[in-house]
Amino acid sequence: MEFFSVLAEQTFLQNALLAGLLASIACGLIGSYVVVMRISYLAGGIAHSVMGGMGLAYYLGASPFIGALIAAVVSALIIGWVKLYWQEREDTLIGALWASGMAIGVLFISQTPGYQVDLMSYLFGNILLVAEGDLWLMAAMDAIIIAAIALFYRPFQAIAFDAQFARLRGLPVNALYLLLLCIVALTVVLMIQVVGLILVIALLTLPAAIAGHYVKTLANMMGLATLLGLAFTSGGLALSYQPDLPAGACIILLAAATFMVSAIVAARKKPLEEPSDT
């Protein structure tokens, strides 16, 4: 109750709630594709390789957010190429990219002149430190993601459920797949400030996975996952305020607990089903 009483007075809490809303939109839309296509490990590789770009940007005196964005897109293209054309070495190469990205980031940050950057804020996020300028940037990235989904909803849906059939219909499956991974990269960067690099995959997949227990279409899955993401970010923020706990960790624990309860309930009612392609 103390959280809600001070919410109207504290700008940083209002910014945190808005950041949670913006992140929820992205994770609801893109997380649904990640869950349906079972590519969470690819998204994990993209997320952890972002650390290299952030560390290099800090070392060069540039914005770490821009460094993260560039690194995420480059990693998405590399991982997508490996997935499409070099599947026999897929796990090894993605694991190497995952580990080397983290290592490069830590190395550059340790060598940055002047003050040392708090790695914990990037690894686990700090939604309470989101500034107004960050909100505008997150809103712009959300707009790009929404526009891409609106333009390519049907083609993305086709490759998500049956890539081989989409190829037979003449769709550029490889190009669409790489484009979708680039959008996943944008989503990962957008959510870094909310829950950090370590927890970003959980927020990306858990709301969509829970939504998949109760809906049968991709569109409904996206809508419900977005609402669940908003509930988790807002609820986790409220739960963390009074005891002064890390907000990102509380958000993920709330989502994980809800997923476990939902999985048990869904398993008792009927076998788990994926959303249909209609």
Side-chain angles (χ1 to χ4, degrees):
M1 294 304 298
E2 182 180 348
F3 171 80
F4 293 104
S5 65
V6 300
L7 179 60
E9 304 173 359
Q10 301 292 342
T11 302
F12 75 95
L13 287 179
Q14 297 169 8
N15 289 345
L17 281 178
L18 287 174
L21 170 61
L22 295 172
S24 298
I25 294 172
C27 78
L29 295 176
I30 302 303
S32 298
Y33 286 114
V34 171
V35 169
V36 169
M37 298 175 69
R38 296 185 176 92
I39 57 171
S40 58
Y41 71 104
L42 297 183
I46 295 171
H48 287 77
S49 64
V50 161
M51 191 68 179
M54 298 178 74
L56 179 58
Y58 249 115
Y59 183 78
L60 298 176
S63 168
F65 201 89
I66 300 301
L69 184 59
I70 295 173
V73 172
V74 171
S75 298
L77 293 174
I78 294 174
I79 289 174
W81 184 87
V82 169
K83 173 69 175 177
L84 292 171
Y85 302 108
W86 206 0
Q87 292 188 7
E88 65 271 15
R89 299 293 183 183
E90 178 184 343
D91 292 343
T92 302
L93 290 175
I94 291 175
L97 186 64
W98 182 316
S100 60
M102 294 287 291
I104 290 172
V106 172
L107 180 64
F108 275 111
I109 289 176
S110 69
Q111 298 301 310
T112 300
Y115 69 92
Q116 296 297 310
V117 179
D118 183 11
L119 285 176
M120 294 292 287
S121 64
Y122 290 122
L123 295 178
F124 298 99
N126 197 337
I127 192 173
L128 297 177
L129 296 182
V130 175
E132 184 176 349
D134 297 327
L135 291 176
W136 284 109
L137 185 57
M138 293 176 72
M141 295 175 69
D142 260 345
I144 294 173
I145 292 170
I146 292 171
I149 296 298
L151 288 173
F152 298 101
Y153 178 78
R154 289 294 183 185
F156 283 163
Q157 186 182 51
I159 66 172
F161 287 98
D162 194 340
Q164 190 61 36
F165 181 70
R167 200 183 302 275
L168 292 175
R169 293 187 61 184
L171 291 176
V173 172
N174 290 356
L176 288 169
Y177 184 78
L178 292 176
L179 176 60
L180 183 58
L181 285 187
C182 287
I183 300 174
V184 171
L186 289 180
T187 306
V188 165
V189 174
L190 191 150
M191 291 191 292
I192 284 175
Q193 294 187 87
V194 177
V195 293
L197 293 172
I198 300 297
L199 305 176
V200 68
I201 299 306
L203 186 60
L204 186 64
T205 57
L206 287 177
I210 296 170
H213 294 158
Y214 305 104
V215 298
K216 295 184 178 181
T217 67
L218 182 61
N220 289 340
M221 187 179 187
M222 289 178 173
L224 182 55
T226 299
L227 294 177
L228 287 170
L230 178 58
F232 294 147
T233 54
S234 302
L237 188 61
L239 289 173
S240 68
Y241 182 78
Q242 176 63 30
D244 194 23
L245 297 172
C250 290
I251 291 170
I252 298 305
L253 286 176
L254 179 60
T258 305
F259 172 77
M260 288 188 288
V261 172
S262 177
I264 293 172
V265 171
R268 288 185 175 183
K269 287 186 175 181
K270 58 181 180 179
L272 298 180
E273 297 179 355
E274 289 184 353
S276 69
D277 56 352
T278 57

